[in-house]
Amino acid sequence: MDIIRVEGGHHLEGSVAVSGAKNSALKLMAATLLAPGTTTLTNVPNISDVHVMGKVLKRMGAEIEVVDEHTLAIDTSHVDSWEAPYELVAKMRASTAVMGPLLGRFGKAKIAMPGGCNLGARKIDMHILGLQALGVEFDTEHGYIYADASAGLTGTNVTLEFASVGATENLIMASVRATGTTVIDNAAREPEIVDLATMLNEMGAKISGAGTPVVTIEGVEELTPVTHRVVGDRIEAGTFLVAGALMAGPAGVEVTGFNPMHLNMVIRKFEAMGVPFERTEGGLRVRRAERIEPIDIQTLPFPGFPTDMQPQAMTLSALADGNSIITENIFENRFMFASELVRMGADIHIESHHAMIHGVTGFSGAQVSSPDLRGGAALVVAGLIAEGITEVSAVHHIARGYERFVEKLSALGARVEHASVPDPDID
């Protein structure tokens, strides 16, 4: 059994560059299906979710050349399948992002019901309702979604019940090949949406309003391959900022390779907690918070506080001088992380989608298990300040979204390592 072992109490100093955004790279890879030929993506994170998406595209007939560790040349000229199989989709929910481009290119798609982190129902009803408005007919059978737009996609007005990132992305990718104009109201506004629209426009799409609640797409007859750089990962950046807020030495920790505006609400909340930041040419420098103030946080779609930063924020607030409240409005199971942090000495009580956090003076190293991607990373960060040794298991979750996480922390001065221990379930 692989674990990450952390020895707490060591200061962090230096600079760390974040990788390309997982949540952008996966959708950009899917979007290459819309433009037959070779699209080159740079700044692609070398993480397991990217490897899974690569397998999905290869299963459909794409050819992928790994130009270097962070550059992929994806040739979709010979794609002849419109199926995303269960054994791959079950590993990663983002595989459903191929539905929109498959419908745009072939007028049909067969997608296994999604998997990924166990964060709740995360239904794709809004994807289906939006695509139905474009003329797609759906059927479900034996765990698969069958989508048929052989009669053609027709532009229309779509209002999303919730500003869903996945639904917005699928609608945009299908609409770029629809006849006429599509208007998405209450669209998600995340930076990854803007990155997707930017690449599609470079390919020849006509998309306006990305990053606002109303996105307008004028359908085009064809798209052509391009070279595009993936935007920096704001969630990875936020994770390292929390690590610095807890354990930075006198010189602080500089986090580079991302746009600080993409973390505006996070930075505002952390500053209110007493975390000092300063802008640098490459990103942000964070210094250790001398005293952590309690805070109230609600997770909301962008530009609100991101749910993917909630476990990291809980780690910080668990050490605050007072009581904090975190309200989770996105994923009902995101608080699974809290029970693991309690094993390290945190005082957290969950009521429905609210976490009441009474600040404690410190954490104690313990054996904990990563419940999901962001929760696992937050447990490693908690281990940095804990007394003694923390061992985090189920680290495959962390590998889904953080490239060389242990190595990057080690380079900052952390005492952290990958290790193997006997599986307790095996006699």
PDB file of all heavy atoms in Angstrom, residues 8 56 109 111 119 184 200 206 220 253 297 325 331 340 371 378 423:
ATOM      1  N   GLY A   8       6.191  16.532  10.543  1.00  0.00           N
ATOM      2  CA  GLY A   8       5.774  17.911  10.743  1.00  0.00           C
ATOM      3  C   GLY A   8       6.837  18.784  11.376  1.00  0.00           C
ATOM      4  O   GLY A   8       7.825  18.295  11.939  1.00  0.00           O
ATOM      5  N   VAL A  56      -8.976   7.395 -23.209  1.00  0.00           N
ATOM      6  CA  VAL A  56     -10.321   7.560 -23.780  1.00  0.00           C
ATOM      7  C   VAL A  56     -10.210   7.972 -25.245  1.00  0.00           C
ATOM      8  O   VAL A  56     -10.872   7.398 -26.132  1.00  0.00           O
ATOM      9  CB  VAL A  56     -11.135   8.599 -22.981  1.00  0.00           C
ATOM     10  CG1 VAL A  56     -12.441   8.929 -23.700  1.00  0.00           C
ATOM     11  CG2 VAL A  56     -11.429   8.094 -21.574  1.00  0.00           C
ATOM     12  N   ALA A 109     -23.188   9.912 -29.652  1.00  0.00           N
ATOM     13  CA  ALA A 109     -22.230   9.594 -28.599  1.00  0.00           C
ATOM     14  C   ALA A 109     -22.807   8.492 -27.726  1.00  0.00           C
ATOM     15  O   ALA A 109     -24.026   8.413 -27.526  1.00  0.00           O
ATOM     16  CB  ALA A 109     -21.919  10.831 -27.746  1.00  0.00           C
ATOM     17  N   ILE A 111     -21.855   7.127 -23.941  1.00  0.00           N
ATOM     18  CA  ILE A 111     -21.016   7.466 -22.800  1.00  0.00           C
ATOM     19  C   ILE A 111     -21.447   6.653 -21.591  1.00  0.00           C
ATOM     20  O   ILE A 111     -22.628   6.637 -21.228  1.00  0.00           O
ATOM     21  CB  ILE A 111     -21.119   8.974 -22.451  1.00  0.00           C
ATOM     22  CG1 ILE A 111     -20.927   9.835 -23.702  1.00  0.00           C
ATOM     23  CG2 ILE A 111     -20.120   9.338 -21.348  1.00  0.00           C
ATOM     24  CD1 ILE A 111     -19.557   9.785 -24.292  1.00  0.00           C
ATOM     25  N   LEU A 119     -17.973  12.310  -4.373  1.00  0.00           N
ATOM     26  CA  LEU A 119     -18.369  13.570  -3.738  1.00  0.00           C
ATOM     27  C   LEU A 119     -19.882  13.761  -3.724  1.00  0.00           C
ATOM     28  O   LEU A 119     -20.369  14.831  -3.418  1.00  0.00           O
ATOM     29  CB  LEU A 119     -17.711  14.748  -4.461  1.00  0.00           C
ATOM     30  CG  LEU A 119     -16.181  14.762  -4.415  1.00  0.00           C
ATOM     31  CD1 LEU A 119     -15.645  15.887  -5.258  1.00  0.00           C
ATOM     32  CD2 LEU A 119     -15.692  14.881  -2.992  1.00  0.00           C
ATOM     33  N   ILE A 184     -26.288  30.511 -23.873  1.00  0.00           N
ATOM     34  CA  ILE A 184     -26.338  29.803 -22.594  1.00  0.00           C
ATOM     35  C   ILE A 184     -26.474  30.836 -21.486  1.00  0.00           C
ATOM     36  O   ILE A 184     -25.572  31.649 -21.280  1.00  0.00           O
ATOM     37  CB  ILE A 184     -25.072  28.951 -22.360  1.00  0.00           C
ATOM     38  CG1 ILE A 184     -24.845  28.006 -23.554  1.00  0.00           C
ATOM     39  CG2 ILE A 184     -25.188  28.153 -21.072  1.00  0.00           C
ATOM     40  CD1 ILE A 184     -23.494  27.288 -23.487  1.00  0.00           C
ATOM     41  N   LEU A 200     -11.104  27.154 -28.518  1.00  0.00           N
ATOM     42  CA  LEU A 200     -12.080  26.910 -29.586  1.00  0.00           C
ATOM     43  C   LEU A 200     -12.140  28.099 -30.550  1.00  0.00           C
ATOM     44  O   LEU A 200     -12.249  27.908 -31.775  1.00  0.00           O
ATOM     45  CB  LEU A 200     -13.458  26.647 -28.977  1.00  0.00           C
ATOM     46  CG  LEU A 200     -13.603  25.303 -28.243  1.00  0.00           C
ATOM     47  CD1 LEU A 200     -14.939  25.233 -27.517  1.00  0.00           C
ATOM     48  CD2 LEU A 200     -13.467  24.131 -29.210  1.00  0.00           C
ATOM     49  N   LYS A 206     -16.875  30.749 -32.913  1.00  0.00           N
ATOM     50  CA  LYS A 206     -17.316  32.128 -32.668  1.00  0.00           C
ATOM     51  C   LYS A 206     -18.070  32.151 -31.340  1.00  0.00           C
ATOM     52  O   LYS A 206     -19.291  31.992 -31.290  1.00  0.00           O
ATOM     53  CB  LYS A 206     -18.199  32.626 -33.806  1.00  0.00           C
ATOM     54  CG  LYS A 206     -17.470  32.700 -35.150  1.00  0.00           C
ATOM     55  CD  LYS A 206     -18.379  33.198 -36.266  1.00  0.00           C
ATOM     56  CE  LYS A 206     -17.619  33.282 -37.594  1.00  0.00           C
ATOM     57  NZ  LYS A 206     -18.505  33.757 -38.705  1.00  0.00           N
ATOM     58  N   VAL A 220     -20.356  27.145 -36.481  1.00  0.00           N
ATOM     59  CA  VAL A 220     -19.522  27.209 -37.681  1.00  0.00           C
ATOM     60  C   VAL A 220     -19.487  25.830 -38.330  1.00  0.00           C
ATOM     61  O   VAL A 220     -19.837  24.829 -37.713  1.00  0.00           O
ATOM     62  CB  VAL A 220     -18.091  27.678 -37.346  1.00  0.00           C
ATOM     63  CG1 VAL A 220     -18.102  29.099 -36.787  1.00  0.00           C
ATOM     64  CG2 VAL A 220     -17.407  26.721 -36.364  1.00  0.00           C
ATOM     65  N   VAL A 253       7.026  31.780   0.935  1.00  0.00           N
ATOM     66  CA  VAL A 253       6.945  30.831  -0.175  1.00  0.00           C
ATOM     67  C   VAL A 253       6.323  31.547  -1.365  1.00  0.00           C
ATOM     68  O   VAL A 253       5.237  32.126  -1.251  1.00  0.00           O
ATOM     69  CB  VAL A 253       6.102  29.598   0.200  1.00  0.00           C
ATOM     70  CG1 VAL A 253       5.844  28.729  -1.030  1.00  0.00           C
ATOM     71  CG2 VAL A 253       6.781  28.783   1.286  1.00  0.00           C
ATOM     72  N   ILE A 297     -17.103  30.813   5.592  1.00  0.00           N
ATOM     73  CA  ILE A 297     -16.896  30.591   4.164  1.00  0.00           C
ATOM     74  C   ILE A 297     -18.061  29.804   3.604  1.00  0.00           C
ATOM     75  O   ILE A 297     -18.535  28.846   4.224  1.00  0.00           O
ATOM     76  CB  ILE A 297     -15.574  29.824   3.909  1.00  0.00           C
ATOM     77  CG1 ILE A 297     -14.362  30.701   4.236  1.00  0.00           C
ATOM     78  CG2 ILE A 297     -15.498  29.328   2.464  1.00  0.00           C
ATOM     79  CD1 ILE A 297     -13.039  29.968   4.149  1.00  0.00           C
ATOM     80  N   ILE A 325     -17.163  28.741  10.494  1.00  0.00           N
ATOM     81  CA  ILE A 325     -18.230  27.963   9.858  1.00  0.00           C
ATOM     82  C   ILE A 325     -17.930  27.875   8.366  1.00  0.00           C
ATOM     83  O   ILE A 325     -17.669  28.896   7.720  1.00  0.00           O
ATOM     84  CB  ILE A 325     -19.626  28.586  10.070  1.00  0.00           C
ATOM     85  CG1 ILE A 325     -19.968  28.654  11.561  1.00  0.00           C
ATOM     86  CG2 ILE A 325     -20.690  27.789   9.310  1.00  0.00           C
ATOM     87  CD1 ILE A 325     -21.295  29.341  11.838  1.00  0.00           C
ATOM     88  N   PHE A 331     -20.953  20.123  -3.340  1.00  0.00           N
ATOM     89  CA  PHE A 331     -20.928  18.663  -3.244  1.00  0.00           C
ATOM     90  C   PHE A 331     -21.288  18.225  -1.827  1.00  0.00           C
ATOM     91  O   PHE A 331     -20.615  18.596  -0.866  1.00  0.00           O
ATOM     92  CB  PHE A 331     -19.559  18.111  -3.618  1.00  0.00           C
ATOM     93  CG  PHE A 331     -19.178  18.357  -5.048  1.00  0.00           C
ATOM     94  CD1 PHE A 331     -17.908  18.809  -5.355  1.00  0.00           C
ATOM     95  CD2 PHE A 331     -20.079  18.150  -6.073  1.00  0.00           C
ATOM     96  CE1 PHE A 331     -17.546  19.036  -6.671  1.00  0.00           C
ATOM     97  CE2 PHE A 331     -19.726  18.382  -7.387  1.00  0.00           C
ATOM     98  CZ  PHE A 331     -18.455  18.824  -7.688  1.00  0.00           C
ATOM     99  N   GLU A 340     -11.244  12.764   8.941  1.00  0.00           N
ATOM    100  CA  GLU A 340      -9.817  12.433   8.938  1.00  0.00           C
ATOM    101  C   GLU A 340      -9.013  13.517   9.649  1.00  0.00           C
ATOM    102  O   GLU A 340      -8.065  13.219  10.384  1.00  0.00           O
ATOM    103  CB  GLU A 340      -9.323  12.248   7.501  1.00  0.00           C
ATOM    104  CG  GLU A 340      -9.951  11.071   6.770  1.00  0.00           C
ATOM    105  CD  GLU A 340      -9.715   9.754   7.486  1.00  0.00           C
ATOM    106  OE1 GLU A 340      -8.532   9.402   7.714  1.00  0.00           O
ATOM    107  OE2 GLU A 340     -10.705   9.078   7.836  1.00  0.00           O
ATOM    108  N   PRO A 371      -9.742  10.873   1.348  1.00  0.00           N
ATOM    109  CA  PRO A 371     -11.084  10.537   0.904  1.00  0.00           C
ATOM    110  C   PRO A 371     -11.349  10.912  -0.555  1.00  0.00           C
ATOM    111  O   PRO A 371     -12.241  10.374  -1.199  1.00  0.00           O
ATOM    112  CB  PRO A 371     -11.972  11.369   1.836  1.00  0.00           C
ATOM    113  CG  PRO A 371     -11.136  12.576   2.147  1.00  0.00           C
ATOM    114  CD  PRO A 371      -9.700  12.105   2.152  1.00  0.00           C
ATOM    115  N   ALA A 378      -5.009  18.169   1.238  1.00  0.00           N
ATOM    116  CA  ALA A 378      -5.140  18.956   2.463  1.00  0.00           C
ATOM    117  C   ALA A 378      -4.610  18.195   3.677  1.00  0.00           C
ATOM    118  O   ALA A 378      -4.045  18.794   4.602  1.00  0.00           O
ATOM    119  CB  ALA A 378      -6.600  19.355   2.680  1.00  0.00           C
ATOM    120  N   ASP A 423      -0.296  -3.823   3.399  1.00  0.00           N
ATOM    121  CA  ASP A 423      -1.728  -3.556   3.339  1.00  0.00           C
ATOM    122  C   ASP A 423      -2.399  -4.200   4.546  1.00  0.00           C
ATOM    123  O   ASP A 423      -2.316  -5.415   4.739  1.00  0.00           O
ATOM    124  CB  ASP A 423      -2.301  -4.141   2.052  1.00  0.00           C
ATOM    125  CG  ASP A 423      -3.723  -3.669   1.785  1.00  0.00           C
ATOM    126  OD1 ASP A 423      -4.472  -3.439   2.772  1.00  0.00           O
ATOM    127  OD2 ASP A 423      -4.099  -3.542   0.607  1.00  0.00           O
TER     128      ASP A 423
END
